[in-house]
Amino acid sequence: MQLIDKQRRTLLQGAAALGATSWLGSAAAQAGKAWPNKPIRLVVPFNAGGATDLVARTLGEALAQRLGQPVVVDNKGGASGILGTDNVAKAQPDGHTLLVSLSTSMLINQFLYTKLPYNPQKDLTLISQIAAAPVTLVVHPSVPASNMKELLAWLKANKGKVSYGSWGVGSYAHLAGAYMSKSTDSDMVHSAYKGEAPMIQDLLGGQIQVCFSSAQNTKSFIETGRLKAIGVTGRQRMEILPKLPTIYEQGVQDDAYAIFGWVAMGAPAGLPQPIVEQLSAHLREIAKDPKVIERIQGAGFTPMMNSPQEFQQNYQKDMPVWKKLVDDAGARLD
């Protein structure tokens, strides 16, 4: 009799566990099915008007049409994207708060800052890399170099005489410039600016000689000859500057120049899988819209719109490269 009672209890416990699992699965499915049931907040951790903001607003318009709910872009700039990204990381994972940000806040900052209020690997759900964000390498017209190999040779021959700019400590422009200085033993001076616009103005004026910058900020000056373009980062040419070769195809294939930043969509950790899948499916459909692609390319980006799995794979592959760049630059922030 005791054996029968024991078996009965085991069966009842198993049924209860199965019921709980079934309920959880049903709850997750319902979470996806009911979503969205109110306006979606799309947080951009940078000020309005920039290229990332443009991409976010483009996506917001397209998602609103497909989801039947307003999508409100919420610019929360400050601290290299930390404030806005942290706001999303601490939000409810119900699919009504999403993030559109750069690799800076979603990946690189964890190596730059000794005290980061969020852990991007634990506190964020990776949904999709929206677009690759390569940048141009430009120099003042007085620099006697027309390609990457000539520039590197000139830097070596002018140790301690060259200044390079960046749009902030820890930015790609800073990290890549520091790598270039170290690899050529040219001892370049780093000038950090509050944004790309003042950096470009000083480059035009000759106060600095070299910088990496977005095509959105350099294209018009390249075309008028006020700046000289050396190359593009990444391994693919830009749609808006199709004649400008990548640094990689010029034979300089260091990871520091072959890697590229990106614009991506994320959400708080714990976002139900059905919502992740729905978002991913919508983004794949949005990527088929020629107007969306045109606007993304016009901002100097290359559309990607990959899956959460592909995003995760790329993230893991990029991490050691960015960590090494930060270590080489000696960039550490509190």
Side-chain angles (χ1 to χ4, degrees):
M1 181 65 74
Q2 289 180 343
L3 179 60
I4 293 172
D5 287 342
K6 186 176 181 182
Q7 290 174 335
R8 187 179 179 184
R9 284 196 302 272
T10 302
L11 286 170
L12 287 171
Q13 289 169 352
L18 182 61
T21 303
S22 176
W23 181 85
L24 286 172
S26 176
Q30 281 299 112
K33 187 177 180 181
W35 175 84
N37 53 32
K38 61 182 180 179
I40 292 172
R41 188 168 62 103
L42 203 57
V43 177
V44 178
F46 305 102
N47 295 335
T52 309
D53 181 60
L54 172 65
V55 171
R57 292 179 188 278
T58 300
L59 290 179
E61 291 172 12
L63 280 172
Q65 291 176 1
R66 296 185 63 84
L67 297 174
Q69 287 284 355
V71 178
V72 181
V73 174
D74 185 5
N75 295 94
K76 288 188 174 296
S80 298
I82 292 173
L83 296 181
T85 305
D86 185 50
N87 181 268
V88 173
K90 291 178 170 56
Q92 286 294 320
D94 58 6
H96 294 98
T97 301
L98 303 173
L99 173 73
V100 173
S101 188
L102 295 170
S103 42
T104 310
S105 79
M106 295 181 75
L107 191 161
I108 304 168
N109 279 348
Q110 63 187 304
F111 305 125
L112 275 172
Y113 288 85
T114 55
K115 299 175 183 177
L116 197 63
Y118 61 91
N119 182 332
Q121 296 185 62
K122 294 180 179 180
D123 299 334
L124 294 176
T125 296
L126 304 183
I127 296 170
S128 177
Q129 285 172 300
I130 304 302
V135 294
T136 59
L137 173 57
V138 289
V139 299
H140 188 268
S142 63
V143 174
S146 299
N147 57 55
M148 190 61 174
K149 290 184 177 179
E150 289 178 0
L151 176 62
L152 296 178
W154 179 75
L155 291 175
K156 288 180 181 179
N158 288 272
K159 184 172 182 176
K161 299 178 182 179
V162 181
S163 295
Y164 76 94
S166 80
W167 58 84
V169 174
S171 64
Y172 173 78
H174 172 211
L175 301 179
Y179 176 84
M180 188 185 301
S181 179
K182 184 176 181 179
S183 63
T184 57
D185 190 30
S186 56
D187 197 20
M188 286 196 290
V189 176
H190 174 221
S191 297
Y193 295 83
K194 293 183 178 179
E196 289 187 74
M199 174 184 72
I200 292 297
Q201 286 304 310
D202 270 9
L203 181 63
L204 290 168
Q207 284 85 1
I208 58 174
Q209 291 76 47
V210 183
C211 77
F212 290 88
S213 184
S214 66
Q216 189 181 40
N217 283 281
T218 61
K219 183 175 183 289
S220 62
F221 298 119
I222 292 170
E223 291 175 341
T224 57
R226 295 187 66 191
L227 291 179
K228 191 187 298 185
I230 298 298
V232 175
T233 60
R235 301 190 185 192
Q236 184 177 340
R237 292 193 184 195
M238 288 183 176
E239 194 72 28
I240 62 171
L241 290 169
K243 295 182 180 179
L244 183 59
T246 64
I247 295 171
Y248 189 88
E249 68 183 284
Q250 294 179 47
V252 181
Q253 300 181 348
D254 309 43
D255 285 343
Y257 312 125
I259 200 169
F260 53 83
W262 31 260
V263 181
M265 180 177 286
L271 185 67
Q273 191 59 29
I275 297 179
V276 174
E277 291 171 359
Q278 285 187 59
L279 269 171
S280 181
H282 283 303
L283 291 174
R284 286 196 300 272
E285 289 302 312
I286 289 170
K288 297 176 183 178
D289 186 339
K291 291 182 180 179
V292 170
I293 298 304
E294 183 180 353
R295 290 180 73 178
I296 291 175
Q297 290 176 336
F301 300 138
T302 303
M304 294 178 72
M305 300 287 193
N306 59 13
S307 69
Q309 294 76 24
E310 291 168 325
F311 188 0
Q312 185 64 243
Q313 290 170 3
N314 290 343
Y315 193 100
Q316 296 300 320
K317 183 178 66 175
D318 286 354
M319 272 204 303
V321 179
W322 286 115
K323 185 178 186 304
K324 187 175 188 305
L325 277 176
V326 171
D327 291 343
D328 286 348
R332 282 291 183 275
L333 301 170
D334 292 328

